[in-house]
């Protein structure tokens, strides 16, 4: 078939009319693109200006991998219920429970993602590293879990806030409780890193002050999987302890408690008391019955009967029907709520770092955990509970004993020193 | 340290070592026969544990899971060998090491995606719960089973390697694979079977370990580290070396925890450095 080329418009070199058309078309496309780019950038900048950018350095892998996503869910839930729900943008990063990675991710979030507030990281040694880098930069860090007492002591900062707890208020209140409930002889254990060591040290100081006696101690490397050789030290102690106290978190706590039972210590009447929510609800399903009858210490008891907690539980179940009510999500929710309240105080302007810092410094509110108040050293004063693990209708729950409201005092007489911002009384 | 504590620690060391044996022997055979240093071996252990947990949850049968999880990982091993590893034979250890390192990261994230970051543990049948008390030494029943089971399985592997035709081919392959091929053996078939078999053993170890300890998404790193230390101590590619290396490592962990608790993990590294200084080729080098 012969193709009819008659009337076809082919551009030929040297045809000045077609060249003019070509240049005209390219110019129009160029102008339109540039305009779109300009207005796009303008509107994007406008959108970014109204955005509230929250960075979260969480433990999504490593021994605390179970906690990170739950804290994040709680944080998002708090914002989804606030007036900022359409303005907030979250940036989540995994720190792998490594301080160097946590610092790198925190800097990336502030410098590349242009966040306004950083939440996390998870572990105490990570928190210390990140705060040391962010403080000179005058960048905000709001901590839900990193239980480092030094961050409300000599390393405190106007820009770092410990909204959850410290190694002090989750160990010292347990000393009189231990003496009264279990006895005056304790065997100290723990993961061999800052948090594990601090918990044992602060507990020992408080326990010995009131007449208690430490009959032995050991600290095993973070991530230990076989505890049998360590557990034999408890049996070999010169005096049988009335209880074993210390901090193991995440997968370490699961292994420790299961082997504590497997090697017959539980059956022989040894009682283990963990802290910093070692027996959190998500942990208990992996431990099974091994944890029943043991205790831990935390600043909330899931399913506690208060209006704030009831509304939190209802919101959580609506948002995450497949997730249990548990401690990590609740702390994440609290951290989110504190940030929202601070934003309210500065008229919703997330760029007002000084205003946000001042608002967080004086924050006080009724949370699902109970009444929360910020101390002068940027550490919260929270209700503390000794919690016994029980099994009701096949479900693992906690029976909480309220020990009182505790913050973290500071001063030269304490290991963690004096905070330049001020110190709450003991 | 009392005499009974020492005996107890010997027992703990042997049990820890016996689980390491299950993990390391597969890695060692794979390296010896195929020249593949499979960095994803720890991931196979982890996947075995997760699948074992899921199968126990679905079926309620521990023994069935002990069969099904390794079977699934054998299948996965077969697919990986055919589709990926095979293309890299003869291109040096580094290329397969990099490939399997990448695979281990993929598996790690897949586990996080499918099972989340929570810790789990495999529910044991009632008859494995509790402990036996042998003159003051408390020993969990399941760990006793693990000890016996590992010893039996390793003995079976030993007999297979020493007495069967395939064992002969594998042992010959440890020395010179090209000669084996020259005698008319399909070398790729041997490679595939070895890879599948070693993956299955890793998964079997995973189910057992998942019932002893917690299952979590970074357990693969612990296992591959341990397995690499064991095969370096024992001698790369040596089955006997892997067995002895596992026991040495188990003992070092048990007694290290007893004498220098904070540095228990450090003892394994010191031990490895000391052995490598004295015998750079490992304790029982093959070939």
């Amino acid at each position: 078939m012969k193709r009819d080329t008659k009337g076809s418009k082919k551009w030929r070199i040297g045809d000045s009319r077609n060249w003019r058309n070509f240049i005209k078309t390219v110019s129009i496309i160029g102008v339109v693109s540039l305009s779109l780019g300009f207005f796009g950038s303008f509107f994007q900048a406008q959108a970014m200006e109204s955005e509230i950018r929250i960075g979260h350095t969480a433990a999504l892998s490593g021994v605390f991998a179970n906690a990170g996503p739950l804290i994040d869910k709680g944080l998002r839930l708090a914002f989804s219920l606030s007036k900022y729900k359409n303005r907030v943008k979250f940036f989540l990063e995994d720190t792998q429970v490594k301080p160097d990675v946590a610092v790198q991710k925190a800097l990336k979030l502030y410098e590349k993602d242009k966040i306004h507030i950083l939440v996390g990281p998870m572990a105490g040694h990570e928190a210390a590293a990140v705060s040391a880098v962010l403080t000179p930069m005058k960048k905000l860090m709001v901590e839900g879990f990193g239980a480092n007492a030094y961050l409300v002591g000599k390393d405190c900062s106007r820009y770092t806030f410990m909204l959850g707890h410290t190694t002090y208020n989750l160990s010292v209140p347990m000393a009189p409780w231990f003496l009264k409930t279990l006895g005056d002889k304790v065997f100290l254990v723990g993961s061999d890193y800052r948090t594990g060591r601090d918990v044992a040290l602060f507990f020992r100081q408080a326990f010995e002050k009131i007449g208690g006696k430490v009959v032995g101690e050991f600290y095993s490397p973070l991530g230990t999987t076989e505890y049998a050789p360590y557990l034999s030290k408890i049996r070999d102690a010169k005096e049988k302890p009335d209880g074993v106290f210390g901090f193991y978190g995440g997968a370490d706590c699961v292994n420790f408690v299961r082997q504590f039972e497997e090697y017959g210590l539980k059956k022989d009447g040894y009682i283990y008391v963990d802290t910093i929510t070692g027996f959190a609800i998500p942990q208990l399903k992996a431990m099974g019955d091994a944890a029943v009858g043991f205790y831990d210490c935390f600043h909330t008891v899931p399913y506690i009967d208060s209006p704030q907690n009831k509304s939190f539980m209802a919101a959580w179940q609506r948002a995450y029907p497949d997730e249990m009510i548990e401690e990590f999500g609740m702390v994440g929710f609290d951290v989110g709520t504190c940030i929202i309240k601070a934003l309210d105080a500065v008229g919703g302007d997330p760029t007002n770092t000084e205003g946000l810092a001042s608002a967080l410094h004086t924050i006080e509110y009724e949370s699902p955990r109970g009444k929360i108040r910020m101390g002068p050293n940027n550490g919260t004063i929270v209700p503390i509970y000794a919690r016994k693990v029980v099994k009701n209708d096949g479900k693992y729950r906690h029976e909480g004993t309220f020990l009182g409201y505790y913050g973290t005092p500071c001063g030269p007489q304490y290991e963690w020193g004096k905070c330049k911002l001020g110190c709450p009384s003991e | 340290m009392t005499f009974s504590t020492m005996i107890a620690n010997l027992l703990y060391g042997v049990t820890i070592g016996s689980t390491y044996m299950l993990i390391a022997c597969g890695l060692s055979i794979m390296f010896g026969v195929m020249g593949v240093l499979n960095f994803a071996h720890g991931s196979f252990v982890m996947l075995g544990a997760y699948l074992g947990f899921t199968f126990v949850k679905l079926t309620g049968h521990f023994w069935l899971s002990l069969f099904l999880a390794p079977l699934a990982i054998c299948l996965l091993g077969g697919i990986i060998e055919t589709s990926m590893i095979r293309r890299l034979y003869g291109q040096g250890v580094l290329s397969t090491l990099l490939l399997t390192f990448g695979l281990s990261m993929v598996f790690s994230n897949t586990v996080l995606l499918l099972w989340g970051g929570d810790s789990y543990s495999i529910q044991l049948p009632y008859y494995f719960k509790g402990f036996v008390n042998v003159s003051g030494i408390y020993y969990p029943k399941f760990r006793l089973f693990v000890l016996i089971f590992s010893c039996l399985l390793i003995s079976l592997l030993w007999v297979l390697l020493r007495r069967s035709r395939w064992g002969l081919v594998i042992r010959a392959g440890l020395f010179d694979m090209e000669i084996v091929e020259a005698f008319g053996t399909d070398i790729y078939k041997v490679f595939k079977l070895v890879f599948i078999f070693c993956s299955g053993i890793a998964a079997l170890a995973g189910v057992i370990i998942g019932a002893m300890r917690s299952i979590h998404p970074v357990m693969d790193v612990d296992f591959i580290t341990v397995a690499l230390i064991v095969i370096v101590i024992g001698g790369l590619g040596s089955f006997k070396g892997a067995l002895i290396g596992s026991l040495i490592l188990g003992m070092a962990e048990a007694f290290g925890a007893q004498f220098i608790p904070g540095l228990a993990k450090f003892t394994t590294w010191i031990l490895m450095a000391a052995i490598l200084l004295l015998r750079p080729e490992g304790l029982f080098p093959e070939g």
Side-chain angles (χ1 to χ4, degrees):
Chain A
M1 198 170 85
K2 202 176 172 184
R3 194 174 166 196
D4 182 17
T5 55
K6 197 180 173 185
S8 68
K9 290 179 181 176
K10 281 189 179 173
W11 284 3
R12 286 183 217 96
I13 295 168
D15 188 332
S16 61
R17 195 185 59 187
N18 285 336
W19 268 110
R20 274 202 303 277
N21 283 341
F22 174 72
I23 289 165
K24 202 158 77 183
T25 313
V26 169
S27 305
I28 290 167
I29 291 170
V31 169
V32 170
S33 306
L34 280 172
S35 310
L36 280 175
F38 174 75
F39 286 110
S41 312
F42 175 76
F43 287 122
Q44 195 186 0
Q46 287 281 82
M48 261 189 79
E49 215 167 85
S50 69
E51 262 176 11
I52 298 164
R53 300 164 82 85
I54 308 282
H56 185 192
T57 41
L60 305 177
S61 57
V63 285
F64 303 128
N66 61 338
L70 293 168
I71 297 171
D72 199 59
K73 282 182 175 174
L75 185 68
R76 285 167 198 261
L77 176 63
F79 272 92
S80 73
L81 302 173
S82 76
K83 62 182 176 189
Y84 305 113
K85 65 180 174 190
N86 296 324
R87 284 179 61 196
V88 70
K89 191 169 179 186
F90 293 99
F91 297 84
L92 180 63
E93 290 286 347
D94 180 18
T95 66
Q96 302 162 24
V97 202
K98 291 176 183 164
D100 54 330
V101 180
V103 168
Q104 184 198 329
K105 295 289 175 72
L107 288 174
K108 180 249 171 192
L109 285 168
Y110 266 116
E111 285 166 2
K112 184 170 172 283
D113 299 321
K114 308 286 179 204
I115 60 161
H116 300 112
I117 300 168
L118 179 79
V119 175
M122 176 82 193
H125 56 317
E126 292 179 292
V130 174
S131 177
V133 172
L134 294 187
T135 297
M137 296 164 70
K138 297 188 175 179
K139 299 289 186 193
L140 289 170
M141 173 178 146
V142 182
E143 189 59 85
F145 261 86
N148 193 323
Y150 291 78
L151 287 177
V152 288
K154 66 183 174 66
D155 298 333
C156 75
S157 156
R158 170 168 164 72
Y159 304 98
T160 301
F161 297 89
M162 305 295 278
L163 283 174
H165 49 262
T166 67
T167 37
Y168 173 89
N169 61 4
L170 288 184
S171 62
V172 172
M174 289 299 276
W177 171 87
F178 192 102
L179 196 78
K180 193 177 155 199
T181 316
L182 301 175
D184 62 353
K185 288 188 286 294
V186 67
F187 194 104
L188 295 174
V189 298
S191 283
D192 195 9
Y193 77 113
R194 190 56 174 273
T195 306
R197 287 276 185 175
D198 281 357
V199 160
L201 176 67
F202 303 158
F203 180 87
R204 171 200 281 269
Q205 288 168 345
F207 197 58
E208 286 178 341
K209 209 168 155 183
I210 53 173
K213 188 179 174 190
V214 177
V215 297
E217 62 186 320
F218 66 73
Y219 305 95
S220 51
L222 195 63
T224 297
T225 47
E226 281 296 326
Y227 288 94
Y230 297 99
L231 292 171
S232 64
K233 283 174 174 287
I234 300 174
R235 280 194 191 281
D236 289 348
K238 283 175 190 160
E239 290 178 74
K240 186 182 175 185
D242 298 309
V244 178
F245 179 82
F247 171 62
Y248 282 110
D252 284 5
C253 192
V254 175
N255 282 326
F256 183 79
V257 171
R258 286 191 64 193
Q259 290 172 35
F260 197 94
E261 190 201 31
E262 281 172 8
Y263 284 93
L265 276 90
K266 189 179 177 185
K267 199 172 183 191
D268 285 352
Y270 291 88
I271 290 171
Y272 178 56
V273 184
D274 200 275
T275 186
I276 319 181
T277 196
F279 296 142
I281 296 276
Q283 296 271 94
L284 291 175
K285 65 181 179 190
M287 291 177 190
D289 289 349
V292 174
F294 289 168
Y295 301 85
D296 77 348
C297 176
F298 202 51
H299 40 81
T300 184
V301 181
Y303 304 97
I304 199 166
D305 191 17
S306 73
Q308 287 78 15
N309 194 40
K310 275 181 183 162
S311 66
F312 162 74
M313 289 196 294
W316 181 271
Q317 277 172 338
R318 267 198 309 277
Y320 311 115
D322 298 330
E323 293 281 3
M324 294 174 292
I325 307 285
E326 47 70 45
E327 296 87 334
F328 301 113
M330 192 185 280
V331 171
F333 182 82
D334 248 10
V335 169
T337 310
C338 282
I339 296 172
I340 290 162
K341 287 191 179 294
L343 281 166
D344 287 345
V346 294
D349 177 12
T351 59
N352 185 354
T353 304
E354 294 301 325
L356 285 168
S358 299
L360 285 167
H361 187 62
T362 52
I363 206 150
E364 186 174 348
Y365 83 108
E366 284 288 342
S367 106
R369 293 185 280 165
K371 194 175 179 185
I372 306 277
R373 182 163 60 86
M374 188 65 80
N377 53 351
N378 281 354
T380 42
I381 295 153
V382 288
I384 299 290
Y385 300 88
R387 314 184 310 171
K388 185 178 185 180
V389 178
V390 292
K391 193 176 181 182
N392 293 333
D393 304 325
K395 288 176 182 165
Y396 299 106
R397 294 283 182 265
H398 300 98
E399 267 174 15
T401 306
F402 179 62
L403 302 180
Y405 283 90
Y406 285 86
T408 306
C410 57
Q413 70 272 36
Y414 298 106
E415 294 288 325
W416 52 96
K418 187 183 173 187
C419 170
K420 57 187 180 293
L421 302 170
C423 290
S425 54
E426 197 162 343
Chain B
M1 188 198 267
T2 61
F3 181 71
S4 70
T5 311
M6 205 181 79
I7 298 293
N9 274 294
L10 269 174
L11 209 53
Y12 301 152
V14 174
T15 315
I16 297 170
S18 65
T19 53
Y20 291 168
M21 266 182 215
L22 289 179
I23 301 169
C25 69
L27 189 68
S28 191
I29 293 174
M30 220 182 268
F31 182 77
V33 176
M34 304 162 67
V36 171
L37 197 52
N38 181 14
F39 204 86
H41 198 69
S43 307
F44 290 153
V45 181
M46 176 176 71
L47 286 170
Y50 272 98
L51 286 176
F53 164 76
T54 309
F55 288 138
V56 169
K57 208 174 163 189
L58 292 175
T59 64
H61 290 284
F62 175 74
W63 295 104
L64 190 64
S65 306
L66 201 61
F67 173 73
L68 287 178
L71 198 69
I73 299 301
C74 281
L75 192 69
L76 180 70
I79 294 167
I80 288 171
E81 197 279 336
T82 315
S83 60
M84 288 177 243
I85 307 273
R86 178 162 294 191
R87 293 163 198 271
L88 298 175
Y89 288 139
Q91 291 190 28
V93 179
L94 195 63
S95 49
T96 46
L97 182 72
L98 286 174
L99 170 74
T100 51
F101 176 68
L103 281 174
S104 73
M105 293 174 95
V106 170
F107 290 137
S108 193
N109 283 291
T110 308
V111 160
L112 263 175
L113 197 73
L114 295 178
W115 284 279
D118 279 356
S119 295
Y120 300 103
S121 56
I122 295 173
Q123 285 301 311
L124 285 171
Y126 69 93
Y127 45 83
F128 278 142
K129 288 183 179 167
F131 51 87
V132 286
N133 184 351
V134 187
S135 45
I137 299 169
Y138 291 83
Y139 207 72
K141 284 180 190 169
F142 185 66
R143 273 158 210 264
L144 205 59
F145 160 76
V146 171
L147 186 60
I148 297 165
F149 181 81
S150 306
C151 290
L152 285 176
L153 194 73
I154 296 295
S155 309
L156 189 71
L157 274 175
W158 186 272
V159 171
L160 271 174
L161 281 172
R162 295 281 152 189
R163 296 276 178 266
S164 71
R165 187 183 169 273
W166 279 107
L168 187 71
V169 171
I170 289 171
R171 276 189 297 133
L174 286 168
F175 286 93
D176 197 330
M177 208 63 222
E178 283 179 17
I179 297 290
V180 175
E181 196 181 16
F183 276 90
T185 305
D186 184 350
I187 192 170
Y188 290 110
K189 199 174 167 187
V190 176
F191 284 177
K192 180 183 255 186
L193 284 174
V194 166
F195 198 87
I196 289 174
F197 181 71
C198 294
S199 308
I201 295 283
L204 193 74
V207 181
I208 287 172
I209 290 168
M212 276 168 64
R213 304 171 186 167
S214 64
I215 303 169
H216 53 90
V218 284
M219 62 197 287
D220 56 335
V221 181
D222 294 338
F223 296 138
I224 191 64
T225 312
V226 161
L228 286 173
I229 295 174
V230 164
I231 64 167
V232 167
I233 289 177
L236 288 171
S238 160
F239 183 73
K240 191 163 81 177
L243 303 190
I244 306 291
S246 302
L247 282 177
I248 291 175
L249 204 65
M251 291 298 171
E253 271 196 29
F255 284 94
Q258 188 64 229
F259 291 116
I260 36 172
L263 298 173
K265 285 195 173 179
F266 192 55
T267 51
T268 57
W269 297 103
I270 291 190
L271 192 77
M272 186 173 87
I275 290 174
L276 288 182
L277 275 173
L278 296 170
R279 287 179 71 91
E281 69 282 11
L283 291 173
F284 300 97
E286 206 57 54

